[in-house]
Amino acid sequence: MNATTSSPGPESPADTVNRIRGEFADITRRLSHASDELTALHGVLLTQTAAPAQPVHTPPIPPQPTPTQTPQLHPLQPPTATFPPPLFTPNHRVPQYAPTPPRVQPLPPPPRPLPVPPRASTAEKMTAASEGGLIGKILAGIGVAITLIGVVLLLVLAAQAGLLRPELRVAGGALLAATLFGIGVRLGHNVQKRSGAVALVATGVAAALFDVLAATAIYHWLPDYAALLVAAVLAGGGLVVAHVWDSQALGLMVGIPLVVLAPFLAGGDDEILVAFLLTYVAVTLWIQLGRNWTAMFITNTAVGTLPVLYGLVAWSSDDRWFFVIAASLNVVLAIVSVLVLMRSSTRPVILALTSSATVFPMFGAVHITGGPLASTLLGVTAAILLALAVAGRPLGVPVPVRVVWLATSSVTALVACASILEGAGLAVAVAGIAVVTACAAAVGKVSGTGGDLNLTVAVIATIATGISLAGTLLSGAVAQLLFADALPTGDQALMLITEVLTLAAIVVLAWSWAQGAGGEQLEAIWTVGTVAALWQVTLLCVGLGALIGGGSDAGIRGGHAAATIVWVLTGAAGLLWARRQRGSARTVTLSVSLSIIGAAVAKLFLFDLATLDGVFRVIAFIVVGLLLLSLGVAYAQSLNSDDDRSVTPR
């Protein structure tokens, strides 16, 4: 009510109650209307979220029905004020309001699948290849090959058929080479035409080299040294274009035809062929400086190595000095190339492996140059590779390259020994390599000077020791265990040296591998090492007995008895040593020592009892029995002393 409205008289309590009821009814009706509008609006929002592309038509809100009963007006109320009937009249129905539903967040639409690009047809692929220049490069490469084959046919077959005068053939080849080279250089000034220009320049350079080789090997117009000088000028000067254009393809288009077609032009003159190709390899080295041209290095190495391999079959014994020089130059050239090119190469390991392949021609030199010369050549090569592997760090040689050269040096040293030695002498040499490499691995492990090559040296030493073990088996050591006259006296002495060296290598290697190992790995190392060492001890005892006994049966029996006793002594020493150890090391030592003693007892009853006779059988049983008895007493006392020390005095 307004404060300015005049009241004719005071309001009675009944009128006050009716007025309040009317106001509550009006509030209730307004809230119901607001709830209906919110419900309709919520439905419109849901419809728009579910289908945003379609317009949503909101239905008109129906008018609210008016109450059927008109409220009574108080005479003092203004004419605009209406009051509903009492809330608790029997005929009035209180409206029921449903709770507003919670707002539901709509689910995000599923992601649209990525469009699948349509598969290009064959015509589209051909078009793309043509636009990218691939077809042009393929056609240019085929053109290079066919043109150079034609040049070879011009220089060789035309000469055989007598079609043209020699002057015309050589002059025609030179004119064709110069024309192709000039056109290629001129076209190469335009970068867009450079792919075709590369093919023209490569064809011109290769044709010029073929022309010089034919003039020397077929027509004998040029002396050998003059031909090599001209070839060096043509190859080194012509391939300057490859360096300037940074085109490895140009070098490949010259090198591959050379190694394939040059033998047809040599006319059986293998010396001029090898010298010609080695000259090409040497003068094209500088072109690769600062470039990552692995393929060209592999190709050039093949250019120099394959003719030398061919010479192993085609050459006579009179050419052995030339073969030695050519093979040596090929190896030196490959190693120097790696040292120069590895700084700009991303694949130095491939370069090292490729250079290592150049030693294979020297392996075949054994049956051509003879044992002493071949062994000297291989020994010098092994020494050079070993020096580069060990001292390569100051030169900036990567570790993988040093590992490759170290492995190649080891193989070369073994082949050098095999080229001059055989039988027991070869076994001694291999055992010497094994013990030297094993000591190197151990020294590097202790001092840390080996660095990254420690593992490689240990692996090489293990392989060499395995070869030495196999060598003792193949050299008659097993037969010496059973037969007194299995080996002559000289071979027996060499076999003893081999066994001593191999035993030393096994011990050093087992200790070296055991450093840093633990658990099952440590147990496996000591088990394998102990078994191999005992095998060598057995061979050493029997061989020494046979040598002292002059090849008699008594010497072999004495050696077997000594071997059994050494087995037991080794196991006993291991058991006593185990008392000073703790943890896994003690467990390993106990296991290995008990296994050795068990094997010694088994040998005593299964082999010695049936094979030995006389005093050797008695000695073996008595000594082994006393050793085991003493070991048992000593071990029991050590256990008692340990128990006494563990008791705390009161």
Side-chain angles (χ1 to χ4, degrees):
M1 294 180 61
N2 297 330
T4 59
T5 304
S6 59
S7 178
E11 186 178 12
S12 63
D15 294 336
T16 303
V17 172
N18 289 334
R19 180 175 57 79
I20 294 174
R21 288 177 179 175
E23 292 177 355
F24 273 111
D26 184 61
I27 293 173
T28 302
R29 186 174 64 253
R30 293 178 182 274
L31 290 176
S32 176
H33 180 68
S35 176
D36 293 339
E37 289 182 349
L38 289 175
T39 303
L41 180 61
H42 180 68
V44 171
L45 293 176
L46 289 179
T47 305
Q48 291 180 352
T49 304
Q54 298 179 358
V56 179
H57 300 282
T58 306
I61 301 175
Q64 298 296 326
T66 57
T68 56
Q69 186 176 359
T70 303
Q72 298 291 331
L73 297 177
H74 194 272
L76 298 179
Q77 291 287 338
T80 57
T82 58
F83 297 94
L87 295 176
F88 302 101
T89 57
N91 297 327
H92 181 73
R93 183 178 180 182
V94 179
Q96 302 293 327
Y97 303 101
T100 304
R103 183 178 181 88
V104 180
Q105 295 292 340
L107 295 176
R112 296 181 180 180
L114 296 175
V116 179
R119 181 174 297 180
S121 61
T122 304
E124 293 175 348
K125 292 180 179 179
M126 295 293 293
T127 303
S130 177
E131 294 176 355
L134 179 60
I135 293 179
K137 294 178 181 178
I138 294 175
L139 293 177
I142 296 174
V144 171
I146 294 176
T147 304
L148 292 178
I149 291 174
V151 172
V152 173
L153 294 177
L154 172 67
L155 296 173
V156 177
L157 297 183
Q160 295 177 355
L163 298 179
L164 297 172
R165 292 176 58 85
E167 296 84 357
L168 295 178
R169 301 182 203 119
V170 175
L175 180 61
L176 177 62
T179 303
L180 293 174
F181 183 83
I183 296 174
V185 172
R186 184 175 182 83
L187 290 177
H189 291 295
N190 189 349
V191 180
Q192 297 179 353
K193 300 179 181 179
R194 186 160 292 178
S195 59
V198 165
L200 293 175
V201 172
T203 307
V205 174
L209 292 175
F210 287 158
D211 205 47
V212 173
L213 182 59
T216 304
I218 298 177
Y219 306 115
H220 304 288
W221 291 349
L222 292 175
D224 295 344
Y225 298 103
L228 296 180
L229 181 60
V230 174
V233 173
L234 292 176
L239 290 181
V240 172
V241 181
H243 186 82
V244 174
W245 290 353
D246 194 13
S247 175
Q248 182 179 202
L250 202 160
L252 295 177
M253 288 182 182
V254 176
I256 294 175
L258 273 179
V259 74
V260 174
L261 300 177
F264 296 98
L265 292 169
D269 194 348
D270 299 323
E271 295 183 2
I272 187 59
L273 174 64
V274 172
F276 187 86
L277 295 180
L278 286 178
T279 301
Y280 168 81
V281 174
V283 298
T284 55
L285 174 61
W286 76 270
I287 299 170
Q288 307 171 56
L289 296 177
R291 302 289 190 265
N292 185 20
W293 290 355
T294 306
M296 186 173 179
F297 175 78
I298 296 174
T299 302
N300 283 10
T301 305
V303 169
T305 305
L306 292 179
V308 179
L309 286 174
Y310 172 76
L312 295 177
V313 179
W315 289 353
S316 63
S317 59
D318 297 336
D319 302 321
R320 61 178 184 174
W321 287 110
F322 180 82
F323 173 82
V324 170
I325 296 173
S328 303
L329 287 177
N330 188 36
V331 174
V332 172
L333 187 59
I335 295 175
V336 171
S337 300
V338 174
L339 292 175
V340 172
L341 300 177
M342 66 181 179
R343 301 181 184 277
S344 60
S345 175
T346 58
R347 301 177 180 89
V349 177
I350 297 179
L351 300 184
L353 291 173
T354 305
S355 66
S356 298
T358 58
V359 301
F360 285 101
M362 288 197 251
F363 294 165
V366 176
H367 70 279
I368 293 180
T369 61
L373 182 59
S375 63
T376 302
L377 179 64
L378 292 172
V380 172
T381 304
I384 293 174
L385 292 173
L386 179 62
L388 290 174
V390 174
R393 181 180 297 178
L395 298 176
V397 182
V399 174
V401 175
R402 295 165 60 198
V403 169
V404 171
W405 281 345
L406 182 60
T408 306
S409 174
S410 304
V411 175
T412 307
L414 290 175
V415 177
C417 295
S419 64
I420 195 173
L421 300 173
E422 60 181 6
L426 179 59
V428 172
V430 175
I433 295 175
V435 71
V436 169
T437 51
C439 292
V443 171
K445 179 79 73 171
V446 173
S447 61
T449 56
D452 301 319
L453 296 180
N454 273 336
L455 179 60
T456 305
V457 174
V459 171
I460 293 174
T462 304
I463 295 174
T465 304
I467 296 175
S468 179
L469 285 170
T472 57
L473 297 178
L474 299 176
S475 300
V478 178
Q480 193 179 21
L481 294 175
L482 303 175
F483 305 102
D485 55 351
L487 293 175
T489 304
D491 290 345
Q492 287 180 356
L494 293 176
M495 187 59 61
L496 287 177
I497 298 174
T498 303
E499 291 161 358
V500 171
L501 293 175
T502 307
L503 178 61
I506 291 172
V507 173
V508 175
L509 266 181
W511 180 88
S512 179
W513 282 111
Q515 302 302 310
E520 297 180 357
Q521 184 180 9
L522 181 63
E523 183 175 357
I525 291 172
W526 281 117
T527 301
V528 174
T530 303
V531 171
L534 287 178
W535 168 251
Q536 291 302 115
V537 167
T538 303
L539 294 178
L540 184 60
C541 291
V542 176
L544 187 60
L547 185 62
I548 295 175
S552 61
D553 294 337
I556 294 181
R557 295 189 182 97
H560 277 291
T564 304
I565 295 173
V566 171
W567 285 26
V568 177
L569 286 173
T570 304
L575 288 177
L576 295 177
W577 176 253
R579 300 301 304 163
R580 301 182 180 181
Q581 295 178 327
R582 294 294 182 269
S584 60
R586 181 176 184 178
T587 303
V588 171
T589 306
L590 285 174
S591 301
V592 175
S593 301
L594 291 175
S595 300
I596 294 173
I597 292 177
V601 174
K603 180 179 182 297
L604 184 66
F605 283 95
L606 297 178
F607 182 82
D608 295 348
L609 184 61
T611 304
L612 305 183
D613 58 356
V615 67
F616 295 110
R617 181 188 299 173
V618 174
I619 292 175
F621 272 83
I622 291 178
V623 173
V624 170
L626 290 176
L627 287 175
L628 293 177
L629 181 61
S630 302
L631 179 62
V633 173
Y635 211 78
Q637 290 180 354
S638 63
L639 288 176
N640 293 332
S641 61
D642 290 343
D643 294 338
D644 293 339
R645 285 194 299 267
S646 63
V647 176
T648 304
R650 296 181 181 178

